[in-house]
Amino acid sequence: MAATLLDGAAVAREVYSQLGQRVQTLVAAGVRPGLAAIQVGNHAASTIYIRRKVKACAETGVYSEIHQLESDCPESTLLATIDKLNHHRGIHGILLQLPLPQHFDAGRIMQSIAVEKDVDGFNWQNLGALVAGRPRFTPCTPSGIIALLERYEVRIEGRNAVVVGRSTEVGKPMALMLIARSATVSVCNSKTRDLRQFTSIADILVVAAGRPLLVTADMIKPGAAVVDVGINRLPDGRVCGDVDFAGASQVASLLSPVPGGVGPMTVAMVIANTVSAAEHHAQARAA
Ligand code: GUN
């Protein structure tokens, strides 16, 4: 039996329609949500991601602006741009697109984004709030995956969830969000011995390893919900995920495609966090 697709593009459209209504309420109250995206250099994939976020802003009525900096700009220029946006009353969300050129310490620079405008959820205060079980802004890829699973009514509580990948942006926050929903969670990494031993017990399998076709059908528990975060380009130019889609679709009950699965949900969560930030701003103004 072929798996049902976890259709992130369709669910993202539903999210935008709900966000559009919240934006209208804010605008009526005199606050238009605003997102500023900063790109350093011209990494091709980053340009595409930023374009998608700006388009999603336009669709939902969120104001957006792009700050384009040269790849060899000094750190002080980037910090000054962030500082200006931190104090800009019309900007509620700041997004520093990653990866940054090598000479920047991205993790440290992220800390200069105001916590209440950190719509990526990468600031250590926001990550710490997630660890403490008091989430504020949470990283957009894992929160998009949770929204996708919820939309398809995947039960999380009491299930075995396995996350392949332990990045600060995806794997670690994903594990924390699954723990918060009472899953039994294993987090694997590139040094894990016998990956299949873990993946084959997963009712929910999230693969964010950045390794093309790492997970094959024989590693998947029949009936599992499989979420593929990978986006890789094969030598022949084709795009593929970390999961062998054709094989996995014969074993899993739910499977996210690449593209069109997790990617659109990540973008939708950036806009959702920006609207939430603007709502907080509006409430603080009214108080
Ligand atoms: N680069 C790839 N994904 C992301 C993301 O979610 N946020 C940021 N800031 N950069 C990225």
Side-chain angles (χ1 to χ4, degrees):
M1 244 271 285
T4 299
L5 280 192
L6 291 167
D7 188 344
V11 177
R13 281 195 294 276
E14 293 172 10
V15 173
Y16 292 138
S17 144
Q18 289 155 11
L19 289 175
Q21 287 167 23
R22 284 164 61 188
V23 172
Q24 278 180 23
T25 306
L26 278 165
V27 170
V31 177
R32 179 174 295 282
L35 174 70
I38 307 171
Q39 183 177 12
V40 185
N42 46 19
H43 189 265
S46 293
T47 304
I48 294 170
Y49 292 142
I50 288 183
R51 247 188 242 142
R52 286 185 189 153
K53 289 167 190 169
V54 166
K55 184 163 172 267
C57 283
E59 274 172 34
T60 45
V62 172
Y63 166 78
S64 67
E65 58 186 38
I66 301 175
H67 295 257
Q68 179 72 56
L69 305 181
E70 298 293 330
S71 63
D72 59 354
C73 80
E75 188 178 291
S76 57
T77 304
L78 175 54
L79 291 175
T81 303
I82 293 172
D83 188 55
K84 198 173 68 186
L85 294 168
N86 280 342
H87 293 96
H88 190 318
R89 291 176 62 82
I91 293 297
H92 306 95
I94 302 171
L95 183 140
L96 177 57
Q97 188 66 34
L98 301 177
L100 291 179
Q102 287 247 312
H103 64 285
F104 290 105
D105 179 347
R108 194 169 53 77
I109 289 169
M110 282 290 177
Q111 309 320 305
S112 62
I113 295 176
V115 180
E116 68 278 10
K117 297 192 180 189
D118 171 37
V119 289
D120 255 325
F122 293 163
N123 185 295
W124 295 333
Q125 284 193 52
N126 282 323
L127 288 170
L130 176 62
V131 174
R134 310 281 295 263
R136 296 185 303 214
F137 290 124
T138 51
C140 297
T141 296
S143 55
I145 291 169
I146 293 288
L148 195 57
L149 294 173
E150 285 176 349
R151 175 64 183 75
Y152 283 85
E153 297 179 350
V154 175
R155 190 163 59 83
I156 298 177
E157 186 181 304
R159 318 270 322 269
N160 284 340
V162 174
V163 180
V164 183
R166 56 171 159 184
S167 68
T168 305
E169 294 79 14
V170 182
K172 276 190 268 186
M174 182 80 259
L176 289 165
M177 287 181 210
L178 290 163
I179 290 167
R181 288 162 180 80
S182 303
T184 303
V185 181
S186 309
V187 183
C188 302
N189 62 70
S190 58
K191 305 281 191 300
T192 298
R193 276 185 263 156
D194 194 1
L195 184 60
R196 180 196 311 211
Q197 183 196 333
F198 292 91
T199 58
S200 61
I201 61 152
D203 302 306
I204 299 168
L205 177 61
V206 179
V207 190
R211 288 197 29 210
L213 312 179
L214 172 70
V215 171
T216 46
D218 57 301
M219 298 166 75
I220 295 171
K221 179 178 174 180
V226 179
V227 180
D228 190 352
V229 184
I231 175 140
N232 311 287
R233 199 167 281 281
L234 294 170
D236 66 7
R238 277 182 301 144
V239 170
C240 73
D242 291 354
V243 176
D244 169 26
F245 182 86
S249 69
Q250 298 305 309
V251 184
S253 66
L254 289 158
L255 175 62
S256 71
V258 177
V262 172
M265 291 303 295
T266 299
V267 178
M269 294 301 112
V270 175
I271 313 303
N273 280 348
T274 303
V275 174
S276 295
E279 285 169 346
H280 283 124
H281 169 87
Q283 278 160 15
R285 217 175 56 150

